[in-house]
């Protein structure tokens, strides 16, 4: 039998036959078969090892939880509805659905090991689920910790959660280079007051404190009493030198409003004035386009429309004022008054993000 061999000569590949005895070929073939057979035999123990590991994991669950704890866990898993199971963070989404479906198909869970037959439930997941059922307060603490971290990014200065929960009304204030607007909302998201005022003499290049005081003082005097006064915190970057005059103006406005509002409406020496992150409000209403925030005019228009057409609108406008607010809004068609729209959106976002309990 001839087996081709290869040599390179003169830069080209050349093939020529090399005689090979049948006995040598048979020996080579037998050697390959032995290697293949050996590889197959070696793979069998790995399957047995996986089975052994699974059984050890199942036995470990018995050691982790006492018989009383196991009974409590199984009671919840066998009786809770899908919505009740989703109250546990580790069972949200597809896991709770899989549990209910498995329970309907195969009957109640007899032991913790049977949980590992449910799709998406491996040993680690099963342990997390069992712990969350036994210690729901741990999940509550984690959720509160996460909420506190979000609040720190959303609102400055830091404020006690209890004070936020007790809020009855707020005044949301947004200011720009030419005007200042505010919206007074109660915790039912009913608009009690909503207006704006032109301030055309502020950005003239001199930034005189007395001029700011003269312009802003009458505006503050018109604002109603509330639990908190929420100012918009600009998202403009200090690195852009061309925006420095505008940033300077906005910071002066913010400082002046802080001083005047706290002096006018101070209660028991506690903070009444807060700053709210502008971009966080934009993200809440899906108004962000990259790092820029788009106009909220259409969203506010929808709020006004829903208040007239729906029984349970997101924002309530009093029947005796809704016509006035709709006329005021229509007057902004030619010239956008973003401060007016943003003051209302900021108030709604404040309640939904900082006051009301987030949905699980």
């Amino acid at each position: 039998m001839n087996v081709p061999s290869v040599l390179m000569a003169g830069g080209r590949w050349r093939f020529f036959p090399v005689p090979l005895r049948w006995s040598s070929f048979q020996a080579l073939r037998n050697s390959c078969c032995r290697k293949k057979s050996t590889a197959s035999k070696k793979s069998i123990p790995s399957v047995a090892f996986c089975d052994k590991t699974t059984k050890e994991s199942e036995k470990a669950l018995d050691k982790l939880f006492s018989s009383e704890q196991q009974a409590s866990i199984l009671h919840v898993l066998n009786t809770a509805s899908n919505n009740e199971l989703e109250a546990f963070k580790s069972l949200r989404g597809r896991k709770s659905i899989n549990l209910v479906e498995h329970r309907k198909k195969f009957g109640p869970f007899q032991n913790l090991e049977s949980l590992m037959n449910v799709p998406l439930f491996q040993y680690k997941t099963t342990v997390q689920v069992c712990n969350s059922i036994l210690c729901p307060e741990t999940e509550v603490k984690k959720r509160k910790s996460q909420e506190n971290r979000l609040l720190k990014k959303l609102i400055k200065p830091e404020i006690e959660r209890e004070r936020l929960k007790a809020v009855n009304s707020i005044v949301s204030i947004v200011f720009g280079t030419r005007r200042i607007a505010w919206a007074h909302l109660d915790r039912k998201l009913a608009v009690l007051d909503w207006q704006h005022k032109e301030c055309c003499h502020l950005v003239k290049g001199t930034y005189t404190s007395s001029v700011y005081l003269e312009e802003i003082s009458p505006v503050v005097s018109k604002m109603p009493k509330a639990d908190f006064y929420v100012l918009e915190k600009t998202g403009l970057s200090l690195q852009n030198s061309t925006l420095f005059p505008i940033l300077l103006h906005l910071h002066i406005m913010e400082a002046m409003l802080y001083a005047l509002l706290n002096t006018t409406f101070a209660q028991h020496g506690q903070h009444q004035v807060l700053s709210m992150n502008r971009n966080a409000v934009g993200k809440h209403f899906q108004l962000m386009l990259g790092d820029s925030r788009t106009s909220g005019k259409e969203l506010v228009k929808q709020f006004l429309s829903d208040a007239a057409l729906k029984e349970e609108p997101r924002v309530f406008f009093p029947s005796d004022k809704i016509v006035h607010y709709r006329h005021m809004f229509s007057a902004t068609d030619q010239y956008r008054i973003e401060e007016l729209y943003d003051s209302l959106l900021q108030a709604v976002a404040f309640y939904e993000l900082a006051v009301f309990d987030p949905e699980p």
Side-chain angles (χ1 to χ4, degrees), residues 79 309 327:
T79 59
L309 300 174
H327 281 309

Side-chain angles (χ1 to χ4, degrees), residues 87-102:
F88 301 100
K89 187 177 179 181
S90 55
L91 282 174
R92 289 178 191 167
R94 190 66 206 174
K95 291 190 183 73
S96 61
I97 297 171
N98 289 348
L99 270 175
V100 173
E101 289 178 350
H102 190 277

Side-chain angles (χ1 to χ4, degrees), residues 189-191 194 299-323 325-326 344:
L189 297 187
V191 181
W194 187 31
L299 186 56
V300 172
K301 185 178 180 180
Q302 187 66 48
F303 286 166
L304 283 163
S305 176
D306 290 347
L309 300 174
K310 293 184 177 180
E311 291 185 8
E312 295 290 331
R314 188 171 181 179
V315 180
F316 293 87
F317 293 86
S319 56
D320 59 329
K321 291 184 177 181
I322 190 168
V323 175
Y325 290 142
R326 292 183 79 169
L344 182 63

